[in-house]
């Protein structure tokens, strides 16, 4: 299956479009293939877009060792140019049906370039009026889902990471002009779901969140930011 689209606006991060640039998003997917008790599906995706720079200052990574830092390009021609937003992704899902229900593994990986500011890599809801920082990033999500006893009970283990700046690591952050926006986070989550009916389920979930140890004063060790969630979902 092949899907492609041309998109306006900022999605959920903002109420309206703020420039004339478009995002082109495409995906090629293998629909679920049944192999006896197993099923397999996979896909690759690409996003090519960006948003308009309002200043002449554009920062990208340079240097080496502990001197890694953002290097500025201050050409006047940068004003009005596109800050590149380019994602490359791949995903796969494998499921095995058995007497208890199903065992499933899902994985997804992304890498590319993300424009932002000195303090954040979040896609802006409004046109930024400050210098543009372009970072190379990567991230992944891996799920393990296992029915126990019956289809009504399901164990879940989830691991994910997001590295907003793959060209800077650990103690390099905070030595020069790198900020908290360059810190890598990873999360290990463990959960248990009880399906009462096809429309009602309850999930207990605990997320163990880890951040890189850096040279920034507030991030010299792992923060205490683990999260427990108890959630009931009713579909109607």
């Amino acid at each position: 299956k092949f899907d492609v689209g041309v998109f306006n606006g900022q999605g959920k991060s903002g109420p309206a479009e703020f420039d004339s640039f478009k995002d082109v998003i495409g995906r090629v997917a293998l629909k679920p293939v049944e192999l006896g008790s197993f099923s397999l599906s996979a896909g690759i995706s690409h996003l090519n877009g960006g948003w308009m720079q309002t200043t002449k200052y554009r920062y990208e990574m340079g240097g080496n060792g502990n001197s890694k830092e953002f290097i500025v390009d201050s050409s006047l021609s940068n004003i009005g140019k596109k800050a590149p937003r380019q994602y490359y992704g791949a995903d796969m899902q494998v499921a095995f049906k058995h007497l208890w229900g199903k065992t499933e593994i899902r994985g997804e990986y992304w890498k590319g370039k993300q424009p932002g500011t000195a303090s954040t890599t979040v896609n802006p809801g409004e046109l930024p009026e400050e210098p543009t920082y372009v970072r190379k990033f990567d991230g992944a999500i891996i799920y393990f889902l296992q029915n126990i006893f019956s289809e009504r009970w399901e164990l879940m283990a989830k691991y994910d990471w997001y590295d907003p700046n793959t060209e800077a690591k650990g103690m390099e952050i905070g030595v020069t002009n790198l900020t908290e926006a360059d810190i890598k986070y990873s999360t290990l989550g463990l959960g248990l779901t009880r399906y009462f009916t096809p429309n009602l389920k309850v999930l207990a979930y605990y997320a163990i969140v880890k951040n890189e140890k850096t040279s920034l004063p507030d991030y010299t060790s792992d923060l205490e930011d683990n999260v427990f969630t108890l959630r009931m979902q009713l579909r109607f």
Side-chain angles (χ1 to χ4, degrees):
K1 181 182 178 182
F2 177 68
D3 295 299
V4 65
V6 180
F7 297 88
N8 245 359
Q10 308 309 309
K12 293 184 177 181
S13 62
E17 177 64 288
F18 53 57
D19 59 28
S20 62
F21 295 123
K22 314 302 178 190
D23 292 339
V24 179
I25 305 173
R27 173 176 164 81
V28 179
L30 172 68
K31 293 182 178 180
V33 176
E34 301 295 331
L35 303 169
S37 298
F38 288 87
S39 65
L40 170 69
S41 60
I44 56 174
S45 308
H46 177 55
L47 181 152
N48 194 317
W51 41 263
M52 186 175 71
Q53 299 176 196
T54 57
T55 78
K56 67 178 183 178
Y57 301 108
R58 174 167 161 171
Y59 288 82
E60 296 191 51
M61 286 295 294
N64 53 68
N66 289 333
S67 66
K68 287 183 180 178
E69 61 182 328
F70 284 105
I71 306 298
V72 65
D73 174 358
S74 56
S75 302
L76 284 173
S77 60
N78 285 331
I79 299 176
K81 276 191 173 181
K82 180 191 292 185
R85 183 181 173 207
Q86 300 169 349
Y87 304 167
Y88 301 88
D91 63 270
M92 179 178 289
Q93 300 81 36
V94 179
F96 170 61
K97 296 179 181 178
H98 47 72
L99 293 177
W100 291 350
K102 186 169 63 173
T103 301
E104 187 171 0
I105 298 175
R106 306 174 188 168
E108 185 171 358
Y109 175 76
W110 287 91
K111 68 178 297 183
K113 288 185 177 181
Q114 173 72 2
T117 65
S119 60
T120 183
T121 64
V122 175
N123 289 314
E126 299 178 354
L127 188 62
E129 299 292 340
E130 53 190 296
T132 301
Y133 285 70
V134 179
R135 298 172 171 91
K136 294 181 180 179
F137 77 94
D138 79 347
I141 306 172
I142 302 169
Y143 286 94
F144 174 77
L145 304 170
Q146 172 69 63
N147 286 125
I148 54 173
F149 311 124
S150 72
E151 293 182 352
R152 290 184 175 274
W153 292 93
E154 183 179 72
L155 286 173
M156 174 175 62
K158 174 187 173 186
Y159 178 74
D160 64 70
W161 83 80
Y162 172 56
D163 188 348
N165 188 344
T166 57
E167 297 179 283
K169 300 295 181 184
M171 303 307 291
E172 297 170 349
I173 299 171
V175 174
T176 55
N177 57 356
L178 280 76
T179 72
E180 64 273 12
D182 301 289
I183 298 173
K184 177 181 178 180
Y185 282 84
S186 61
T187 305
L188 174 63
L190 301 171
L192 178 64
T193 303
R194 174 67 161 94
Y195 295 89
F196 290 93
T197 74
N199 297 320
L200 175 64
K201 66 179 180 180
V202 174
L203 167 67
Y205 185 80
Y206 188 69
I208 304 169
V209 184
K210 298 289 185 181
N211 58 269
E212 282 185 297
K213 298 176 182 178
T214 74
S215 298
L216 294 168
D218 294 333
Y219 297 90
T220 56
S221 60
D222 184 49
L223 302 179
E224 295 183 3
D225 51 0
N226 296 347
V227 180
F228 174 74
T229 304
L230 183 63
R231 180 185 305 160
M232 182 182 75
Q233 292 177 283
L234 176 64
R235 184 172 60 185
F236 59 91

